[in-house]
Amino acid sequence: MVVASFKKPMSNCYIWNPSQKFSDCETFCFSGARKKISWPKNNGSLLGAVGVWNFLLRIGIHAEFITEKKISLLPQDGRLFVVLDAPLVDIGIIRQLRKLVEDDYQVIASGSPGVWMVLLPELFKGKTDKFDNPYAALAYGFEGEPAEIIAPPLWNFFTFHENPVSGIKQLGCLLAIQGERQTPSRALLFKHSQSPAIIQKDNFIYLNGSPFHSFQAWLQGQEDLNPWLQWRHRLFWLDEMAAYLRFLLVETGVLPKSLQTILAPELGETCIVLRHDLDGSRDASYLKAEEHYGIPGVHGVLRDSNAKFWVKILNQFPKHESAFHYNTGRYSRKHNWIRQKLGLSSLSYRPDRRDVKGNGLYKQVQ
């Protein structure tokens, strides 16, 4: 749940969405609703821009995607998030991005170190690095603060090989999480002093280790979160990661300190959402009880034989929210009854390939 109001959204946050197609990013391909879908194999390639959008949404900011055609139209007080995956080939675009940095425009950068080394060689005097241990995750480390996991194993990051130019701030450092990595209190942390967590020069901020890519990769299940669940509250893992990134952007002056307050003060510090999945049922007990006590709930409607019943009854209670619940599995009571009569064991839920492959999910929305 996003606890935020967009009646007066924080304006002037933009995400650069390049028109250039990055064909050299290694991906998995599968059939989607309308076209072939690509998921990255390495470093969350192609996920950075949407990762920024989802991060900002969770902290109450509705950002706007822009292409290079609109860069010249950015307002003076804007903030542009630029996450890069592959080398830029258009000289005009390169000049546009360099001019923004030279003009001291607020640019929040992340992504491939190799691309940024080519784009801004005067700032990035170093190399693309990777931990030797293939199981070591990346974390940010700041003096006197606990380590904060920021990216999965085998993730690339930037390392200085010579002293940075005058005026560049190196904030924190990258840590390798090794040893008994599942347990924060017993994990081994190895400091990489030449690999800062954040590089800052005036209004240019670079977040090392591609945290926006990793946020989206964990969000959509592209990367395995299981080994790291104990590093944050397991029910609010990504929310706590978003809160940490927000804290960093506030501390570096990118976002105003007002964002550290509760986004919806009328809800208090704790907000409990009552959600009920209505799969295979017409029992409206929760709905009636919540209506009686004046407490709204969220009711997840599955597209099954009861869907019309729930759509009709929920229309009578406008204070309650409806949520669509995808079907991804199949289970036949009739089939299992026959198997039981034949002395065979019952079958549990199995994946329903028709509902999930190709345009299956899209059809459920229609």
Side-chain angles (χ1 to χ4, degrees):
M1 175 182 179
V2 177
V3 183
S5 172
F6 294 112
K7 292 180 181 178
K8 294 182 179 180
M10 179 178 171
S11 59
N12 298 345
C13 276
Y14 303 91
I15 305 168
W16 184 52
N17 188 27
S19 58
Q20 175 185 338
K21 301 304 179 184
F22 298 124
S23 59
D24 57 344
C25 293
E26 197 175 357
T27 61
F28 299 103
C29 293
F30 56 93
S31 297
R34 299 180 180 179
K35 61 180 181 179
K36 287 284 186 179
I37 302 298
S38 295
W39 271 17
K41 289 185 178 181
N42 304 308
N43 297 295
S45 298
L46 309 179
L47 299 183
V50 69
V52 174
W53 191 89
N54 277 312
F55 154 68
L56 291 175
L57 185 68
R58 287 194 179 215
I59 65 172
I61 299 174
H62 196 185
E64 179 184 344
F65 286 103
I66 65 166
T67 62
E68 52 272 10
K69 293 180 180 179
K70 292 186 177 181
I71 285 182
S72 60
L73 303 177
L74 287 171
Q76 289 296 319
D77 60 345
R79 303 164 183 84
L80 179 64
F81 288 79
V82 182
V83 287
L84 299 175
D85 298 295
L88 299 172
V89 295
D90 190 313
I91 299 299
I93 297 174
I94 294 174
R95 288 174 177 169
Q96 278 185 310
L97 292 177
R98 284 189 58 85
K99 188 174 188 304
L100 285 174
V101 177
E102 292 167 358
D103 291 346
D104 203 23
Y105 193 81
Q106 182 72 79
V107 174
I108 304 93
S110 189
S112 170
V115 178
W116 285 105
M117 285 189 288
V118 173
L119 187 62
L120 299 172
E122 65 276 20
L123 298 184
F124 291 86
K125 296 180 179 294
K127 64 177 181 177
T128 298
D129 215 341
K130 186 182 292 187
F131 293 146
D132 294 331
N133 187 327
Y135 304 107
L138 281 69
Y140 281 178
F142 292 89
E143 192 69 32
E145 299 292 333
E148 288 279 351
I149 186 169
I150 209 72
L154 300 176
W155 220 255
N156 289 340
F157 55 88
F158 175 75
T159 295
F160 281 108
H161 62 57
E162 60 180 85
N163 292 330
V165 298
S166 176
I168 290 184
K169 296 180 183 178
Q170 298 185 60
L171 308 176
C173 67
L174 286 185
L175 304 172
I177 302 176
Q178 299 179 193
E180 193 177 336
R181 57 199 178 117
Q182 292 89 348
T183 310
S185 61
R186 291 196 287 269
L188 300 177
L189 300 176
F190 291 90
K191 181 178 179 181
H192 286 244
S193 57
Q194 293 298 105
S195 305
I198 298 174
I199 300 170
Q200 183 173 10
K201 187 176 189 303
D202 301 323
N203 274 331
F204 177 82
I205 308 288
Y206 178 77
L207 276 68
N208 207 357
S210 304
F212 300 121
H213 290 78
S214 60
F215 182 84
Q216 184 64 29
W218 275 323
L219 176 63
Q220 69 180 42
Q222 178 62 36
E223 292 285 347
D224 186 9
L225 196 56
N226 284 314
W228 318 108
L229 287 178
Q230 293 191 57
W231 285 82
R232 295 189 175 104
H233 193 297
R234 62 187 302 126
L235 294 181
F236 309 106
W237 206 97
L238 289 172
D239 294 303
E240 291 190 358
M241 181 178 179
Y244 179 66
L245 291 174
R246 180 186 68 175
F247 168 77
L248 294 178
L249 294 181
V250 169
E251 288 298 300
T252 52
V254 174
L255 299 177
K257 290 186 178 295
S258 60
L259 280 179
Q260 291 180 308
T261 61
I262 300 172
L263 294 172
E266 65 276 8
L267 295 179
E269 293 186 3
T270 302
C271 179
I272 299 175
V273 179
L274 301 174
R275 177 191 164 90
H276 317 289
D277 287 348
L278 308 173
D279 308 8
S281 170
R282 295 195 178 191
D283 186 351
S285 300
Y286 280 119
L287 176 62
K288 293 176 181 177
E290 289 162 358
E291 179 65 20
H292 175 74
Y293 290 104
I295 302 173
V298 180
H299 304 267
V301 180
L302 182 68
R303 189 176 183 182
D304 59 9
S305 58
N306 302 308
K308 291 183 179 180
F309 167 83
W310 285 113
V311 170
K312 182 178 180 181
I313 193 172
L314 286 170
N315 279 336
Q316 303 171 28
F317 301 95
K319 292 184 179 180
H320 294 259
E321 293 188 31
S322 301
F324 184 75
H325 194 180
Y326 283 111
N327 179 56
T328 58
R330 57 192 174 97
Y331 178 85
S332 173
R333 288 186 175 85
K334 180 179 179 181
H335 190 192
N336 276 334
W337 180 84
I338 295 173
R339 290 180 63 88
Q340 186 179 10
K341 293 299 181 183
L342 296 174
L344 301 173
S345 60
S346 298
L347 296 175
S348 60
Y349 279 92
R350 292 178 293 172
D352 192 333
R353 298 183 182 278
R354 292 173 300 179
D355 276 353
V356 297
K357 69 178 294 189
N359 60 354
L361 293 178
Y362 179 68
K363 285 183 177 179
Q364 292 189 56
V365 178
Q366 291 180 311

